[in-house]
Amino acid sequence: MPRLLPAFAHRLVPAALLLALACQPREAPKVYCPWEEGLTLTFEDPSQPQPQRATNRLQVRVAKSTIAPGPPGLIQVDVTSLQGQLPLTLRHQDGGVALVTDQGQLLSVSLPAGFPATAAWKERGTEFRVIGRATWDGAGVLPATADRVGIWVESRPVKGPRRRTLYLPNLGEVETREERGDAWVTVNRLVARGFTSLPAIKRP
């Protein structure tokens, strides 16, 4: 019997380690879109000349965010340009981001559930794939505490050029490049970040 104990203990230790790992709380999926109420992001197309570039700037402001334990669910954003304002409703679930109606009806999927572990998907004929992680070179507009490492996603439509978009946690799209000939040209870039009003509540 004494000789059996070491063998039994040898099998027991790995099993105990696996059980301990399984019992550890899972990290909540990162949110790859803006969600803090009052957060305001300004974008421009660097490929355009001035003053057209400034005239065509877009501003995205989080008007309302449904906060719950874990990631937010529904997020209302206002997209504003000189041409007017467009309210949009986003839904975050398991790392994915979708555009929905006010009643929650799905309109389109920006990022699939399970992102970025979900490495490839298709939406309305356009094929998407995760290229990899990278540190954004425009992070000077972000606070020192912001996560600067994001995920590059390439989109390949049925017609038209390929695009590559970098998504950062808590911000979403910060830069998009378009394939033009042998070059990748930046056609959308985050140029300013701030709060137009204080957040009503902070995410847990």
Side-chain angles (χ1 to χ4, degrees):
M1 178 65 77
R3 293 181 179 179
L4 297 178
L5 290 177
F8 176 75
H10 181 72
R11 293 194 299 270
L12 181 61
V13 171
L17 289 175
L18 289 175
L19 181 61
L21 290 174
C23 292
Q24 289 182 351
R26 293 183 178 181
E27 182 181 355
K30 291 184 178 180
V31 184
Y32 286 92
C33 69
W35 61 267
E36 294 178 275
E37 290 187 1
L39 177 63
T40 303
L41 308 175
T42 303
F43 297 87
E44 67 177 29
D45 180 352
S47 69
Q48 295 180 343
Q50 293 288 15
Q52 183 181 359
R53 183 192 307 181
T55 301
N56 292 336
R57 277 188 169 192
L58 286 178
Q59 179 178 284
V60 178
R61 179 183 180 276
V62 179
K64 185 178 180 182
S65 181
T66 303
I67 306 297
L74 293 179
I75 305 158
Q76 296 178 12
V77 300
D78 293 327
V79 181
T80 305
S81 69
L82 291 180
Q83 286 69 45
Q85 186 178 87
L86 177 65
L88 299 175
T89 301
L90 306 177
R91 182 177 67 202
H92 175 270
Q93 185 175 7
D94 299 329
V97 179
L99 178 66
V100 299
T101 65
D102 293 339
Q103 292 73 38
Q105 182 180 1
L106 179 65
L107 294 176
S108 64
V109 175
S110 300
L111 299 173
F115 180 83
T118 303
W121 66 96
K122 193 172 183 178
E123 174 68 16
R124 301 181 183 275
T126 299
E127 297 179 351
F128 297 85
R129 68 183 181 94
V130 173
I131 299 176
R133 298 180 181 273
T135 301
W136 188 38
D137 60 7
V141 302
L142 305 180
T145 55
D147 193 340
R148 289 160 163 74
V149 178
I151 308 291
W152 278 105
V153 173
E154 182 177 279
S155 61
R156 186 188 295 267
V158 178
K159 295 182 179 181
R162 289 185 298 169
R163 286 195 166 198
R164 291 179 176 176
T165 299
L166 181 65
Y167 294 89
L168 286 186
N170 305 318
L171 293 174
E173 176 185 352
V174 294
E175 183 170 338
T176 292
R177 299 173 182 175
E178 184 177 273
E179 187 179 30
R180 296 182 180 177
D182 296 329
W184 287 93
V185 179
T186 299
V187 294
N188 194 44
R189 187 178 177 92
L190 177 66
V191 294
R193 173 201 177 277
F195 285 89
T196 53
S197 61
L198 292 176
I201 188 172
K202 289 187 176 294
R203 179 170 174 244

